[in-house]
């Protein structure tokens, strides 16, 4: 049953976010401007999160009127070390979001104030176990950018409006924070900007329906997992779906990801916090996953979900060390330099736990192209690592209309067959994009879980069948499309034609008779 009140609150929140973005972006490009909105939301979130944590502790101890936001900075300073250890960061009462927001309209140096506060928050974690989670988090929040205004006064006016707008967002009662509201606001902002930014922004974002499908495929039959990993994690929304689908404590050891783009890497860490994932429950790294993987000490992973970039260039055989890399060497060949897709597949397979599942969005070309890619497909099939290939509808992603596929990998399969599912028709049209409904996802996941065969929808192919097809893994090779053309009864059609011809002759005779009468009359 849908919670109507919750849906109304969500709609109201979305309208408020849109209003802020609409009023404030001005000269700032939408994809850049989201850094300011998200950065401000994050600042509000950690301020309230810390305040609630301290206040509830004091109230439980009987100090019912205590409010950390009203405490003098000098008194609060005494609690710094303990709070950094427990929460990972520290904010002085005067530097909390609510207090900076209160003073914003009268603060001629608001830009400097915010810069100082952000530096203090980041430096509070230095030297502690949370340092890597906080370092550089506010780097993309440039308070002195000309995009915010040509003068300091104009920039500060815009910054003040930004603070007020985020302060007015209905993100739940301070004492009983609805974490979903912050997380949902983040998702909405990313979707809003990704759809408007096209390729420049949409490539960083996997839509919620695709994220949910990947995660459901990867967790069939499981109620919990050790940890989840995404080798190209973008802003982290796909990683976080595991918690949403399995439950709050079902990801026991946390969320791991790597992202090459520093702005997106910062967004990912902010997203973790906004979804109430503690600093000790996530490890997001910023580097090139294929040539400098950062989680050797953490693999293997029970769940790997990913939507890596399609057909990007990588070092490939230009780097003589890569062919001996244990992630790539088993296939005996490297993915082509101009198409890194199968390098991501090999990397994910290498770091997958024996009883785990990897569900990865793929560019369709890797399923049928020859050369090195065919050799890697042969390795994957010969060693029985490919569990399922799913052909998705086109137009699911922002910035591209390509009909992508999902490859599901497993190391401990119970048979040596590969399931092919043609889900090209499993979607509804929403504005310019297609979308997977719950019913669409249910059908795909149920077919996947049962390894069921259904005419024109799924086929369980044997190893021999795939080998005979030269290791072509295109779904259309194995699942015959339904012929929706109208079937014609030739005998019936001929009878109808004969009837028409006879009727035509009668009409001709009638016309000749009328013409003759007219001519005789003349």
């Amino acid at each position: 049953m849908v919670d109507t009140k919750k849906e109304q609150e969500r709609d109201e929140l979305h309208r408020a976010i849109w209003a802020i973005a609409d009023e404030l972006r001005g000269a700032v490009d939408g994809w850049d401007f989201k850094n300011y909105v998200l950065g401000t939301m994050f600042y509000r979130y950690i301020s309230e999160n810390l305040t609630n944590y301290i206040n509830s502790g004091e109230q439980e101890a009987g100090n019912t009127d205590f409010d950390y936001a009203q405490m003098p900075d000098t008194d609060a300073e005494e609690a710094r070390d303990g709070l950094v250890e427990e929460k990972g960061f520290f904010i002085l009462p005067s530097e909390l979001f609510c207090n900076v927001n209160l003073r914003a309209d009268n603060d001629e140096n608001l830009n400097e104030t915010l810069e100082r506060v952000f530096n203090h928050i980041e430096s509070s974690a230095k030297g502690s176990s949370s340092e890597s989670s906080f370092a550089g988090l506010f780097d993309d929040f440039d308070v002195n950018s000309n995009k915010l205004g040509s003068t300091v006064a104009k920039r500060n006016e815009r910054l003040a409006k930004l603070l007020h707008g985020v302060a007015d967002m209905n993100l739940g009662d301070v004492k009983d924070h609805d974490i979903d509201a912050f997380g949902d606001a983040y998702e909405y902002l990313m979707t809003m900007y990704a759809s408007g930014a096209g390729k420049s922004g949409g490539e960083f974002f996997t839509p919620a329906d695709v994220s949910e499908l990947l995660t459901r495929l990867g967790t069939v039959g499981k109620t919990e997992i050790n940890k989840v990993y995404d080798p190209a994690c973008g802003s982290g929304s796909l990683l976080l779906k595991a918690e949403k689908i399995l439950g709050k404590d079902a990801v026991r050891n946390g969320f791991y990801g790597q992202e090459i783009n520093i702005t997106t890497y910062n967004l990912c860490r902010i997203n973790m916090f906004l979804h109430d994932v503690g600093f000790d429950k996530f490890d997001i790294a910023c580097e090139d996953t294929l040539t400098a993987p950062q989680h050797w000490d953490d693999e293997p992973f029970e769940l790997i979900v990913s939507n890596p970039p399609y057909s990007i260039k990588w070092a490939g055989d230009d780097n003589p060390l890569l062919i001996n890399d244990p992630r790539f060497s088993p296939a005996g060949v490297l993915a082509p330099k101009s198409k890194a897709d199968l390098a991501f597949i090999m990397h994910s397979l290498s770091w997958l736990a024996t009883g785990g599942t990897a569900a990865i969005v793929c560019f369709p070309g890797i399923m049928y192209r020859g050369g090195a890619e065919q050799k890697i497909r042969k390795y994957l099939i010969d060693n029985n690592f490919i569990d399922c290939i799913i052909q998705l509808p086109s137009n699911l992603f922002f910035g591209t209309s390509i009909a992508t596929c999902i490859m599901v990998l497993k190391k401990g399969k119970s048979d040596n067959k590969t399931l092919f599912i043609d889900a090209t028709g499993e979607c509804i049209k929403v504005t310019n994009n297609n979308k997977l409904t719950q019913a669409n996802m249910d059908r795909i996941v149920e077919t996947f879980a049962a390894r069921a065969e259904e005419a024109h929808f799924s086929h369980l192919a044997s190893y021999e069948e795939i080998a005979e097809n030269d290791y072509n893994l295109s779904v259309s090779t194995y699942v015959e499309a339904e012929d929706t053309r109208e079937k014609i009864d030739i005998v019936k059609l001929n009878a109808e034609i004969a009837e028409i011809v006879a009727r035509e002759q009668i009409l001709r005779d009638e016309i000749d008779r009328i013409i003759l009468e007219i001519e005789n009359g003349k």
Side-chain angles (χ1 to χ4, degrees):
M1 187 181 152
V2 177
D3 185 336
T4 313
K5 185 172 184 291
K6 189 127 177 122
E7 284 301 311
Q8 282 175 343
E9 285 177 0
R10 175 170 288 172
D11 289 343
E12 179 192 319
L13 176 61
H14 290 179
R15 279 196 299 275
I17 293 169
W18 183 258
I20 295 168
D22 223 28
E23 182 187 353
L24 295 178
R25 65 185 145 184
V28 183
D29 173 68
W31 191 247
D32 290 332
F33 192 75
K34 80 188 174 329
N35 297 331
Y36 291 103
V37 183
L38 287 169
T40 310
M41 278 172 54
F42 173 63
Y43 173 35
R44 174 181 162 181
Y45 172 73
I46 59 171
S47 293
E48 293 182 7
N49 185 285
L50 184 70
T51 303
N52 295 347
Y53 180 76
I54 297 167
N55 287 356
S56 59
E58 288 289 330
Q59 284 155 11
E60 280 168 23
N63 192 356
T64 51
D65 294 330
F66 181 84
D67 182 8
Y68 180 67
Q70 304 301 319
M71 196 178 188
D73 284 357
T74 47
D75 295 352
E77 196 64 62
E78 295 171 21
R80 177 186 287 269
D81 293 346
L83 285 167
V84 168
E85 195 174 316
E86 292 161 37
K87 297 295 288 179
F89 67 98
F90 177 75
I91 306 176
L92 286 166
S94 69
E95 296 187 340
L96 289 167
F97 173 85
C98 60
N99 288 329
V100 172
N101 180 51
L102 273 177
R103 300 190 301 265
D105 291 333
N106 301 313
D107 186 350
E108 290 178 7
N109 303 305
L110 181 59
N111 58 331
E112 291 175 16
T113 300
L114 286 171
E115 191 166 39
R116 184 179 68 250
V117 170
F118 295 161
N119 284 336
H120 286 174
I121 293 170
E122 286 183 22
S123 61
S124 73
K126 274 198 178 133
S128 76
S129 56
S130 63
E131 181 173 352
S132 65
S133 298
F134 281 87
L137 264 185
F138 291 100
D139 281 359
D140 293 300
F141 196 118
D142 183 359
V143 295
N144 296 308
S145 170
N146 284 332
K147 290 177 178 177
L148 283 172
S150 54
T151 64
V152 170
K154 283 179 182 172
R155 291 199 279 275
N156 284 344
E157 184 186 345
R158 194 160 270 183
L159 287 167
K161 280 185 176 177
L162 182 60
L163 290 169
H164 299 334
V166 171
D168 291 342
M169 281 186 195
N170 178 17
L171 294 166
D173 186 86
V174 167
K175 292 184 176 58
D176 179 28
H177 239 308
D178 182 354
I179 299 305
D180 276 356
F182 272 102
D184 183 65
Y186 178 95
E187 298 286 325
Y188 175 71
L189 258 169
M190 289 299 289
T191 306
M192 181 178 91
Y193 285 125
S195 61
K199 188 75 180 114
S200 64
E203 63 188 338
F204 299 138
F205 188 69
T206 307
D209 51 346
V210 181
S211 298
E212 184 172 331
L213 176 61
L214 287 169
T215 309
R216 286 180 62 184
L217 291 166
T219 54
V220 163
K222 292 186 176 173
T223 53
E224 60 173 26
I225 52 170
N226 68 342
K227 47 198 171 181
V228 57
Y229 171 68
D230 183 346
C233 63
S235 58
S237 299
L238 177 48
L239 269 178
L240 288 158
K241 274 288 183 287
E243 183 180 76
K244 189 165 186 179
I245 285 166
L246 292 175
K248 178 72 183 153
D249 301 310
V251 184
R252 296 191 304 275
N253 302 327
F255 304 81
Y256 295 78
Q258 191 161 335
E259 170 55 43
I260 196 168
N261 179 294
I262 192 156
T263 298
T264 319
Y265 158 71
N266 287 335
L267 289 176
C268 184
R269 291 183 297 157
I270 286 174
N271 199 7
M272 292 290 147
F273 284 113
L274 291 181
H275 282 82
D276 202 34
V277 177
F279 73 90
D280 54 343
K281 286 290 289 283
F282 71 84
D283 184 346
I284 310 297
C286 185
E287 253 295 359
D288 184 332
T289 303
L290 299 179
T291 54
Q294 298 295 298
H295 295 101
W296 278 114
D297 297 336
D298 303 301
E299 58 92 17
F301 299 96
E302 203 173 333
L303 173 63
I304 297 177
V305 283
S306 192
N307 175 23
Y310 310 142
S311 300
I312 58 162
K313 293 179 173 66
W314 78 304
D317 54 20
D318 277 353
N319 182 340
L321 301 176
L322 287 174
I323 193 60
N324 297 316
D325 188 307
R327 297 170 299 155
F328 309 123
S329 59
V333 65
L334 294 169
K337 284 182 291 196
S338 60
K339 302 174 182 74
D341 310 69
L342 279 163
F344 280 105
I345 297 285
M346 290 297 293
H347 167 82
S348 298
L349 176 66
S350 174
W351 284 15
L352 185 62
T354 307
T357 304
I360 301 165
V361 177
C362 303
F363 184 79
I366 69 164
M367 301 299 175
Y368 57 79
R369 287 189 298 235
E373 291 182 311
Q374 184 187 32
K375 288 175 184 167
I376 296 171
R377 291 198 304 273
K378 182 178 188 304
Y379 164 77
L380 294 170
I381 290 293
D382 285 352
N383 290 278
N384 200 27
F385 291 133
I386 299 183
D387 190 55
C388 182
I389 305 286
I390 301 164
Q391 177 67 56
L392 292 174
S394 60
N395 238 24
L396 286 178
F397 294 85
F398 302 112
T400 178
S401 59
I402 295 165
T404 55
C405 309
I406 295 174
M407 183 184 285
V408 182
L409 299 164
K410 285 184 182 175
K411 283 184 174 173
K413 283 171 63 181
S414 56
D415 62 24
N416 69 339
K417 296 180 176 179
T418 301
L419 182 67
F420 291 87
I421 298 175
D422 182 358
T424 47
E426 293 298 308
C427 63
I428 57 166
K429 190 165 179 61
V430 179
T431 60
N432 295 328
N433 279 65
N434 286 327
K435 186 174 172 20
L436 302 168
T437 65
Q438 283 300 320
N440 296 144
M441 284 186 261
D442 289 347
R443 187 181 183 203
I444 296 166
V445 173
E446 284 161 15
T447 303
F448 168 76
R451 292 180 85 63
E453 291 216 60
E454 185 182 328
H456 312 300
F457 185 68
S458 61
H459 174 61
L460 197 55
S462 66
Y463 166 76
E464 292 76 18
E465 190 179 347
I466 295 171
E468 281 169 18
N469 281 303
D470 291 330
Y471 300 93
N472 182 328
L473 298 179
S474 295
V475 171
S476 58
T477 305
Y478 303 92
V479 181
E480 187 185 355
E482 188 172 3
D483 187 350
T484 54
R485 291 175 302 179
E486 188 183 349
K487 289 181 175 54
I488 296 166
D489 183 334
I490 296 297
V491 175
K492 186 182 172 191
L493 182 62
N494 282 338
E496 285 174 0
I497 290 170
E499 195 179 316
I500 290 166
V501 169
R503 175 75 178 142
E504 188 182 25
Q505 192 55 51
I506 291 167
L507 291 171
R508 280 186 189 281
D509 292 346
E510 187 70 16
I511 290 165
D512 288 345
R513 185 184 62 76
I514 292 167
I515 290 169
L516 191 63
E517 279 180 10
I518 292 168
E519 285 177 347
N520 290 340
K522 278 181 182 175

